[in-house]
Amino acid sequence: NPTLEKLYCEEAGAGKTKPDIYLQAAEYLGSRPEETLVFEDVIHAVRTAKKAGFQVIGIYDEASKDDQEEIQREADCYCREWRELMKKKTALTIAGSDSSGGAGIQADIKTMQANGVYAMSAITALTAQNTTGVTGIMEVSPEFLENQLDAVITDIRPDAVKIGMVSSEKLIKTISKKLKEYHAENIVVDPVMVATSGSRLISENAIETLKTQLLPMASVITPNIPEAEVLSGMEIKTEADMEKAAEIICNTLGCAVLLKGGHQLNDANDLLFQKEKEPVWFHGKRIDNPNTHGTGCTLSSAIASNLAKGRDLETSVRYAKNYISGALAAMLDLGKGSGPMNHAFAVEGEYKG
């Protein structure tokens, strides 16, 4: 298009110190800045576009190779090659099946699809459950789990991996072994260990194996308050306790920690703790919706999806928090117990109705 060509070429080499060219392009496209992607290969242009409210994808360019570290840090996403950028991003969930569709593998796949990545799965257990409870569990064998992981990863390599509830020591060891073998990246672990009632869901041996073999491999783990108490060995009653516990977990396991505060401690404020970085609080308003089945699965899968797309961890958490707020605010009401969220709340077009 000649108009777009003019918009994009007019300032070539002119520095792009003002956002005019980006705003003109967005106006022509009929989109708001926050809905518009800008591709840039120099740091000052990245900063200009970001300041104007655009989402920026950093692109590698030999001419600005000295700026690449800053571009990676400041852009929303980053890639070295256009071919890499255009390829559909993928995410693998390793978790149990929820026959009612609100949590587990089913929630993970819905979340990943809604967040724009191709979803794959390796199932650790089949469950018979609905919104009122679980009536049966059939765990897969370590050999069959290994077969699933081999089949998926050797054909369609995941850009991120989300791991949910894994109840046995043998399955935890299998997952750890295969992810090391395939050098998996962007691993998000939701360390499901404690039920809402407070009872332990996995054995002490399994918890120890989780702590020594799987969690140290993670890019980030997403414990709630009771799980963080198990991992840190301390009681958590205040936000200051959350910061101390997250620091202990991070230093002990060597992974980032997103400590979820929505467990009757505060107004759904979550804490992200990363090594050598200042703690970041994500302040959320508690949504008055009793249907919260699968919130933990959904949050961790949304984080994995955004990491798969090249976003940094803090940005990925922010996007994931916004997504889960939207899914809860849609006020889906199904089942006789604590029902599922509407994972497809943002789906538009002819297939929605």
Side-chain angles (χ1 to χ4, degrees), residues 57-71:
I57 297 179
I59 300 291
Y60 180 80
D61 188 296
E62 187 67 23
S64 57
K65 61 183 180 182
D66 293 340
D67 293 338
Q68 294 309 301
E69 192 173 314
E70 283 185 281
I71 292 172

Side-chain angles (χ1 to χ4, degrees), residues 5-47:
E5 186 177 340
K6 177 176 180 292
L7 286 171
Y8 281 95
C9 297
E10 190 173 66
E11 285 202 11
K16 295 182 182 174
T17 55
K18 295 186 293 184
D20 300 20
I21 190 160
Y22 306 117
L23 295 170
Q24 287 176 50
E27 183 180 1
Y28 178 83
L29 294 168
S31 61
R32 298 192 302 271
E34 63 270 21
E35 299 171 333
T36 310
L37 293 176
V38 169
F39 300 85
E40 280 298 354
D41 56 10
V42 289
I43 187 62
H44 55 268
V46 169
R47 288 170 178 159

Side-chain angles (χ1 to χ4, degrees), residues 36-273:
T36 310
L37 293 176
V38 169
F39 300 85
E40 280 298 354
D41 56 10
V42 289
I43 187 62
H44 55 268
V46 169
R47 288 170 178 159
T48 300
K50 288 277 288 183
K51 191 173 181 180
F54 290 85
Q55 296 183 62
V56 180
I57 297 179
I59 300 291
Y60 180 80
D61 188 296
E62 187 67 23
S64 57
K65 61 183 180 182
D66 293 340
D67 293 338
Q68 294 309 301
E69 192 173 314
E70 283 185 281
I71 292 172
Q72 287 186 55
R73 185 168 57 248
E74 297 193 32
D76 295 297
C77 303
Y78 180 83
C79 73
R80 287 187 63 89
E81 298 180 15
W82 279 99
R83 183 171 55 184
E84 172 196 341
L85 181 67
M86 301 312 292
K87 178 187 163 205
K88 181 77 171 179
K89 299 304 180 183
T90 61
L92 167 66
T93 168
I94 306 171
S97 167
D98 172 4
S99 52
S100 70
I105 288 284
Q106 286 84 346
D108 296 339
I109 291 173
K110 293 174 189 177
T111 299
M112 291 170 177
Q113 185 75 18
N115 280 271
V117 301
Y118 180 77
M120 304 170 288
S121 65
I123 297 176
T124 59
L126 302 176
T127 70
Q129 68 173 292
N130 56 29
T131 62
T132 63
V134 180
T135 56
I137 300 176
M138 184 169 67
E139 195 173 83
V140 305
S141 68
E143 294 75 23
F144 187 66
L145 178 57
E146 189 167 331
N147 289 343
Q148 292 180 79
L149 293 171
D150 285 334
V152 170
I153 300 174
T154 58
D155 187 32
I156 305 174
R157 180 176 175 81
D159 295 303
V161 179
K162 174 265 167 89
I163 302 167
M165 183 176 175
V166 187
S167 57
S168 81
E169 190 178 357
K170 288 182 179 179
L171 291 182
I172 294 168
K173 287 180 177 178
T174 297
I175 295 168
S176 174
K177 181 182 81 170
K178 300 310 289 186
L179 294 186
K180 284 177 184 173
E181 179 183 331
Y182 290 114
H183 305 286
E185 300 174 301
N186 296 321
I187 300 171
V188 180
V189 182
D190 183 13
V192 183
M193 296 182 291
V194 183
T196 307
S197 62
S199 59
R200 294 284 179 94
L201 296 172
I202 64 177
S203 68
E204 288 294 336
N205 286 344
I207 290 174
E208 194 57 34
T209 304
L210 195 67
K211 288 166 66 176
T212 57
Q213 295 199 26
L214 194 55
L215 299 187
M217 298 175 61
S219 303
V220 63
I221 64 173
T222 61
N224 59 26
I225 297 295
E227 289 155 358
E229 289 181 332
V230 172
L231 293 173
S232 66
M234 64 172 281
E235 194 174 40
I236 301 173
K237 295 293 185 186
T238 66
E239 290 192 349
D241 290 342
M242 286 179 69
E243 292 197 3
K244 181 62 178 174
E247 182 179 14
I248 290 171
I249 296 167
C250 180
N251 290 337
T252 302
L253 300 177
C255 59
V257 180
L258 179 68
L259 179 42
K260 298 176 291 191
H263 210 87
Q264 299 178 341
L265 176 63
N266 57 30
D267 242 2
N269 296 335
D270 298 344
L271 169 69
L272 178 63
F273 195 99

